Amino acid sequence: MAVPEQPVIRQEQLVDGAFHLLIDAQLRATGGEPAQYRRYAVKALNASGVESIANIQIGFDPAYQTLVLHSIDVIRDGVATSRLRTAQVRLLQREAGLEERIYDGRKSASIFLEDVRVGDVVDYAYSVRGSNPVFGGRPFGVSMLRYTEPVGRIHQRLLFDRAHPPIVRTRNTDLVPTTRDVGDTREVEWSIDDVEPLVVESDAPAWYDPYPMVQWSAYPDWAAVVQWALPLYAQRQPPGAALRAEVDRIAAAHATPAARAMAALQFVQGEIRYLGVEIGVNSHAPNPPDLVLKRRFGDCKDKAVLLVAMLRALHVEATPALVNTSIDKAIEGRLPQPYAFDHVITRVRVDGKDYWLDPTRPRQDGAGLDQVHQPDFGRALLVAPGTTGLVPMDNPSQAAARTLVAVVIDARKGFDQPVEYTVTTTSRGGHAEYKRNLYRTNPSADMQKNALNFYARSYPHIELAAPMETHDDAAENAYTVVEHYTLGGLPHASADGRTMTAEFSFPDTESLLQDPDSTIRHAPLGRAHPFEATTTTEILLPMRTSVAERSSHVDDPAFLFERSITLPDDHRVLITDHYVARADHVAVDDIAGYVAHLREAREGLGYALKWSVAKASGAPPPINWTVWLFTLATIIAAFIGAVYLYRWDPAPMAIERRGGPVGLGGWLVLPILGLVAVPVADLAILRTLLHIDADAWSTLTDPASPSYHALWAPVILYECAAEVMRSAFCVLLLVLLLKRRTSLPRLMIALLWLQLLATLVDSALSAPVLAAKDAQGAGFEAARMLIAAMIWTAYFNNSQRVRATFVRRYRASAATEAMPLVPPADTPVDADSPAATPLAAATSTAP
């Protein structure tokens, strides 16, 4: 391939000051020994680029591969100089996976070039011949058509046997290859110029892979991959004596299949250390289970095969399962091939239920299989006869992973003393196993220091009060950490020194609501899912408080956040934060809304308590003159309105028949009881509202206060007015009822509907600031009042007792009112009939 003469070079896109003019990747898989050819031409644009291109690293596996260097040229001012004979070549044992305890025997040819300058081009080519015999010579692989850096030209060429070509498929590109047959060889070729870089944010979900690539595979389907794997994982002989002894020990100690499966898992996890010697065919072929037990070490394949052998000997159904831990469900978009997987776990079936177990995880001490946490890798390929495709893991235990944080801020001794700050974190499921391993493998002093620094970002004057404690509940797979601190300098005084304010932070909740590192993005944002966390913060106070209860929630497609603030008693505030992750990613188009919802949730986290210096010292709290004066004005207005309504003098309602019931009895008893009970309840509520002192009023109505809401003042003042007005109305109706005034039925109906209207207005004002359950309760109350108003309106309009009882008018003369009605001689007089009432006086219009 020719090197581009005038490629487009954008300095801002470069990495390490070097520009790849050409990347040429070719594969020959036409009979005999396969070979992979690579050629790179890289130009140094600055000193950093010189460092990058003057040191060449080429990896290969000497167990089955041979490295051939074809050319190494340095091109300067258009003149190429060969360095193939003069370059220093060293073979190094470079174990890239040694930190993960994997030894694969690969070597690296390190080539050091002399006299490389800025502006030079290093053009080198090599071939790696041979393939791992574990794959039986069947070609498969992938090659990239785009990188994180710009490339002048990318060339990809595949050579296969024409009679047996593998499946070739591109991914994330519409580029069409050039295909031609030459003799017995089929050639497939792509060439792209001026390839732009593609950079994916580091916090993208694992399954997101937008890079264009070429895939090829001689495996037509996943069943063919299973047929390749079956001989590798087959148990060729019965368990040896040592393995049989372990199986017998477990069988004797545990009676049920579930208990035996759990014991076998814990044995392999705890007694067989993780170490992979993956040289040659052992990169994909596990060692026999007896050898793994004898060595007491193995990689994922070895430990899975040992676990399967033990379980089958215990008469528990078990199957090795191939998974990909990095791309999860995206494996479905890949061509079937062995390289599609990077890990082996075990599927166990007990009592008709599937469990996915990973023997490479730290020992899982749960009481049973239902407590064992296993990450969901999306899809797995079971190494079992009859398997034809990938199966979903569908791991129900993953949903149980959650964290509970209980914070107690104990200021009962006074805010002028060190405030006790206790944090109890209980992790369950996968989080418990993570915490358990974290605290087992790290010094407790380091863990304590990290925790202290975490909370110090929110409370600068925090100090350690006692060493942290850990409690492990293996039976429930729960791990609890208890931390003890003291907080100093929590409250601060106002400018005039009359009030104190203590502001509280919620670091555990805040950590869940942080903005992503990048909000202008090309890739979706990956999120931990499923995940659930609840944080309760209990503030114990030295003085009485009257803060209002409220709740809020932020609803986003990716998460739900709810907060409630309650007052269990007048010396305690309880704040509950609940976070639930709803999805494993946020789409690019949804990032702006997601970030806005995060910020909305964070803005609602602040909380502060404000009190006067006098209150803290035991002196009477300052009077809230706003509420008191407003209530007094309402009382005066109510009195004036009551006087006006008392003088209202409507005509009596017509009586349709004689001899009906009369007097304050029958169904009238219920409204009478209501008129007595309502003022009592209203006065109790009014007393509570008047008890809101000046400090509490300022906390709720001062825009600078974290507890501020613009509707708090209207809600409180409206409810004061409503309680006063309703109580005055009820007292007036009681007086009119005793006087049996004609205005009573009409005013009673008016009270019923005004109560309903007042409730609806109160609900509309209160909904944004009160708890959701309170708002819902107000809706039920309004519905109840509507039904009651309709029923009692019909009663007061149609009841014969009402018509016969409320017949006295305000302007009737005393003499007329006292004049009895004389019935006809043939009409009997009944004490409860309308004839016994001064109906004539009631119908008189005389002044």
Side-chain angles (χ1 to χ4, degrees), residues 658-659 821-830 833 835:
R658 303 289 178 167
L821 178 65
V822 180
D826 59 346
T827 303
V829 178
D830 183 44
S833 69

Side-chain angles (χ1 to χ4, degrees), residues 544 546 612-616 618-624 690-696:
R544 186 178 181 277
S546 57
S612 67
V613 176
K615 178 189 289 187
I623 296 176
N624 183 1
L690 293 174
H691 197 74
I692 299 176
D693 58 49
D695 293 335

Side-chain angles (χ1 to χ4, degrees), residues 611-806:
W611 66 93
S612 67
V613 176
K615 178 189 289 187
S617 63
I623 296 176
N624 183 1
W625 289 109
T626 302
V627 174
W628 276 90
L629 292 176
F630 180 82
T631 303
L632 179 60
T634 306
I635 292 173
I636 295 173
F639 178 77
I640 295 173
V643 171
Y644 174 80
L645 292 176
Y646 180 81
R647 295 175 177 176
W648 185 42
D649 193 28
M653 303 169 69
I655 300 176
E656 298 177 358
R657 62 184 177 85
R658 303 289 178 167
V662 68
L664 303 179
W667 288 106
L668 269 178
V669 173
L670 294 179
I672 294 172
L673 293 176
L675 292 176
V676 174
V678 167
V680 175
D682 286 348
L683 290 176
I685 296 174
L686 184 62
R687 179 177 178 274
T688 301
L689 295 172
L690 293 174
H691 197 74
I692 299 176
D693 58 49
D695 293 335
W697 176 263
S698 176
T699 300
L700 299 174
T701 60
D702 184 355
S705 169
S707 301
Y708 167 77
H709 195 287
L711 289 177
W712 269 126
V715 166
I716 294 173
L717 295 178
Y718 174 82
E719 292 195 353
C720 285
E723 305 305 333
V724 169
M725 290 293 186
R726 187 165 66 170
S727 297
F729 211 144
C730 289
V731 172
L732 170 64
L733 290 180
L734 279 172
V735 173
L736 296 177
L737 183 141
L738 294 175
K739 288 181 172 291
R740 304 191 183 190
R741 290 277 299 279
T742 58
S743 59
L744 185 282
R746 296 170 177 84
L747 291 179
M748 194 69 190
I749 293 172
L751 173 64
L752 293 169
W753 291 100
L754 287 174
Q755 276 192 129
L756 175 61
L757 177 62
T759 300
L760 293 174
V761 173
D762 185 54
S763 298
L765 286 175
S766 304
V769 295
L770 293 182
K773 62 181 182 180
D774 294 336
Q776 185 181 25
F780 289 139
E781 176 65 12
R784 186 193 66 78
M785 294 179 67
L786 173 62
I787 296 173
M790 295 172 64
I791 293 173
W792 287 109
T793 297
Y795 174 78
F796 279 102
N797 275 327
N798 300 290
S799 169
Q800 292 301 308
R801 181 185 293 275
V802 170
R803 292 172 178 265
T805 301
F806 299 102

